[in-house]
Amino acid sequence: ASREILRSSNGTVSRLTLSFSRNSTDNPFYPTSGSRSLARLELAGGALGGEIDYFKPELDHRLYFIPFWKPAVMVRQKLSMLGTYVRGGVVPGSETFRLGGTRTDYLRGYDDYWIVPEENIHTVNGSEVRFPGGKFAYTFTTEYQFPLFNPVRGLLFLDAGNTWNSARDFSLGDLRKGAGAGVRLEIPMLGVVGLDYAYGLDRGKWQAHFIIGPAF
């Protein structure tokens, strides 16, 4: 099955992306109120031509508010799905969802792309292979950010999420979780950089993550 999914990633892609976004935050870098919402639909193949067929809808919502102890909290939820136009069709492995780290969807406390459906983990020549990812993914993040001293900010966070091979397998009781703390620093001409140190609760291990660019 994994070889078939790998082969399904080879070929010409004809793709169309539709998106709708709404931003009511009060600050582009360190918002304290409002929200950011994004609905995105990626279509490949079918009537568009090409050799690879799939559709990928995503919903991403971030809410910002000031709690009674101040200064600002962000709560983010994201749902992603990958499917084909023909029932039982093979999705391209390169488009499946693999969570962990800070490369795409944050799930700190784990290696990049470490979190995939359990049934997709294999051992090849004595090495663990975590591929392909899932066809359905959910991530949740809550992050509390506060100023330390100019231009450094601190943060506390909790990440949770997982991937499944079907939306029918989705369960909030089956989320991988990570928690930790970090710092953010604004550097002229470079932007925001940071360092997060997180504990993977389902892994029993601490891990550092270097951040480039705003993530809050």
Side-chain angles (χ1 to χ4, degrees):
S2 294
R3 291 181 180 179
E4 186 179 0
I5 290 176
L6 279 170
R7 286 194 297 270
S8 71
S9 300
N10 298 325
T12 303
V13 181
S14 181
R15 181 163 42 207
L16 172 68
T17 301
L18 306 171
S19 63
F20 172 79
S21 63
R22 179 181 182 275
N23 188 340
S24 63
T25 57
D26 61 345
N27 188 294
F29 300 107
Y30 298 114
T32 60
S33 66
S35 64
R36 292 176 184 169
S37 301
L38 174 66
R40 184 175 182 270
L41 175 62
E42 186 175 310
L43 302 169
L48 298 173
E51 300 172 301
I52 297 177
D53 300 322
Y54 69 86
F55 62 90
K56 182 189 283 189
E58 295 181 313
L59 294 173
D60 189 351
H61 180 69
R62 308 183 194 198
L63 174 67
Y64 304 85
F65 62 93
I66 299 177
F68 66 89
W69 62 86
K70 298 185 178 181
V73 168
M74 182 271 290
V75 177
R76 179 186 185 187
Q77 296 188 79
K78 184 177 180 181
L79 279 170
S80 306
M81 179 181 174
L82 176 65
T84 58
Y85 308 115
V86 180
R87 185 173 182 177
V90 178
V91 297
S94 59
E95 298 295 333
T96 54
F97 306 110
R98 295 186 293 161
L99 306 182
T102 56
R103 290 295 182 93
T104 51
D105 296 317
Y106 278 31
L107 218 170
R108 290 160 284 193
Y110 303 86
D111 293 332
D112 293 335
Y113 311 121
W114 192 83
I115 296 173
V116 302
E118 291 293 327
E119 57 268 32
N120 295 9
I121 303 173
H122 330 283
T123 300
V124 179
N125 297 326
S127 299
E128 186 178 75
V129 177
R130 292 178 169 267
F131 183 88
K135 301 175 187 177
F136 188 84
Y138 171 76
T139 57
F140 169 87
T141 292
T142 182
E143 194 166 288
Y144 172 57
Q145 220 179 90
F146 48 91
L148 291 174
F149 52 89
N150 191 44
V152 179
R153 301 174 69 88
L155 59 95
L156 303 172
F157 59 83
L158 170 67
D159 295 339
N162 208 344
T163 65
W164 299 268
N165 285 322
S166 170
R168 294 188 299 271
D169 299 327
F170 168 69
S171 171
L172 291 176
D174 189 29
L175 302 182
R176 303 290 182 263
K177 296 171 284 293
V183 293
R184 296 289 183 271
L185 170 66
E186 287 187 63
I187 299 178
M189 305 301 293
L190 182 60
V192 178
V193 298
L195 180 67
D196 292 347
Y197 198 51
Y199 182 75
L201 277 72
D202 301 271
R203 192 183 183 192
K205 181 180 178 181
W206 287 93
Q207 184 154 347
H209 301 279
F210 183 65
I211 312 293
I212 298 180
F216 187 68

